[in-house]
Amino acid sequence: MLLVLIFGGSIAEAQQPATSGSQPSTSSEPPPADSVQPKNDRIFGVLPNYRTVENPNIRMAPLSAKGKFKLAIEDSFDPYAYVIAGAFAGYGQTKDDPKSWGEESWGPYIKRYAASFADQTSENIMTEAVVPWMLKEDPRYFRLGTGGFFKRTGYAVSRIWVTQTDAGHRTFNFSEIMGAGASAGISNFYYPREDRTMSANLSRWGVMVGEDTFFNLLKEYWPDIRLKMFKRK
């Protein structure tokens, strides 16, 4: 809640392109430090799409620390986040995982719901805010937008391992890999003892990275799907 008060506000307020590749800015004022591309749509009308830069021809201004935390907070407390946490909690309930929490009442479900919500929130904070701020990496997804299916799919998957710095250079995606790993480590504070093993932590890390890979694919192709299905750019 404290982070919401500090970094709150709509992410749309912080979304402005730096300069267009075809029309250089004539203003002497620098672009806002926490500007990102305007984003008013949701993937299939549901999934938050805060971190996508859809137009590959627009050079974006780097995000400030405040801008990065805004992204993480918006992602973490979007209405969709509560639904997804419930789905993961329900899956854990059916699998009786963690086993020591049981499966016969609302009590175990509430524990699993809280753990699922904590998992996704800590991952968002680590991968979109804390590590990008510390290492000066950009947590946004920059679409390729052109080329064949295999080229674009390969690009989307590779963005799990490759990102760009605040200065616009390519670099290893420490934010994703280290951030998800840190989140998996944080989960040891609230999971029961049997789920604090190396294999359990690696499993949670793998799920987080796998989810983000899937979302990269959605972000890459959503504008094409939106145009095809809804006839709008």
Side-chain angles (χ1 to χ4, degrees):
M1 185 59 69
L2 179 60
L3 285 174
V4 176
L5 293 174
I6 296 174
F7 297 102
S10 171
I11 193 65
E13 295 177 355
Q15 297 184 337
Q16 295 291 333
T19 58
S20 169
S22 58
Q23 294 183 343
S25 174
T26 57
S27 172
S28 59
E29 293 295 322
D34 57 344
S35 63
V36 292
Q37 185 174 358
K39 183 61 51 208
N40 299 316
D41 73 302
R42 289 171 174 266
I43 298 174
F44 296 113
V46 178
L47 308 179
N49 202 21
Y50 305 121
R51 292 190 295 135
T52 305
V53 177
E54 288 191 356
N55 190 341
N57 297 317
I58 294 179
R59 181 174 63 83
M60 306 305 296
L63 285 169
S64 66
K66 182 178 179 179
K68 292 172 184 178
F69 275 92
K70 276 186 177 180
L71 286 175
I73 292 300
E74 291 278 358
D75 253 352
S76 297
F77 297 98
D78 186 90
Y80 164 82
Y82 298 93
V83 177
I84 286 298
F88 273 105
Y91 178 76
Q93 190 87 341
T94 62
K95 302 291 287 185
D96 193 19
D97 180 33
K99 195 170 185 63
S100 66
W101 284 351
E103 59 175 341
E104 300 299 329
S105 68
W106 279 102
Y109 178 81
I110 291 172
K111 289 181 180 179
R112 293 185 174 100
Y113 184 94
S116 296
F117 193 85
D119 282 348
Q120 59 195 35
T121 301
S122 68
E123 194 220 354
N124 288 338
I125 297 298
M126 296 305 297
T127 62
E128 300 174 24
V130 175
V131 180
W133 164 63
M134 292 174 62
L135 300 182
K136 300 186 184 303
E137 292 184 348
D138 197 316
R140 293 171 291 188
Y141 178 77
F142 294 83
R143 287 181 66 242
L144 182 61
T146 58
F149 173 78
F150 291 107
K151 180 179 180 180
R152 292 178 65 185
T153 299
Y155 170 86
V157 172
S158 73
R159 294 311 94 177
I160 289 295
W161 306 96
V162 180
T163 189
Q164 71 177 41
T165 65
D166 290 341
H169 306 301
R170 288 200 305 174
T171 186
F172 181 78
N173 197 347
F174 290 103
S175 296
E176 173 66 32
I177 305 306
M178 288 177 55
S183 176
I186 291 170
S187 69
N188 288 315
F189 286 103
Y190 49 85
Y191 277 103
R193 186 176 298 275
E194 72 267 22
D195 266 34
R196 300 175 192 169
T197 63
M198 178 67 74
S199 61
N201 277 273
L202 288 174
S203 177
R204 285 192 286 272
W205 176 84
V207 168
M208 292 174 187
V209 172
E211 283 182 8
D212 290 343
T213 302
F214 173 71
F215 281 119
N216 277 1
L217 290 167
L218 284 180
K219 291 171 182 177
E220 178 64 32
Y221 289 108
W222 168 239
D224 306 88
I225 298 171
R226 185 179 61 212
L227 182 60
K228 199 78 170 177
M229 292 179 63
F230 305 105
K231 308 301 181 184
R232 61 184 178 86
K233 294 183 179 180

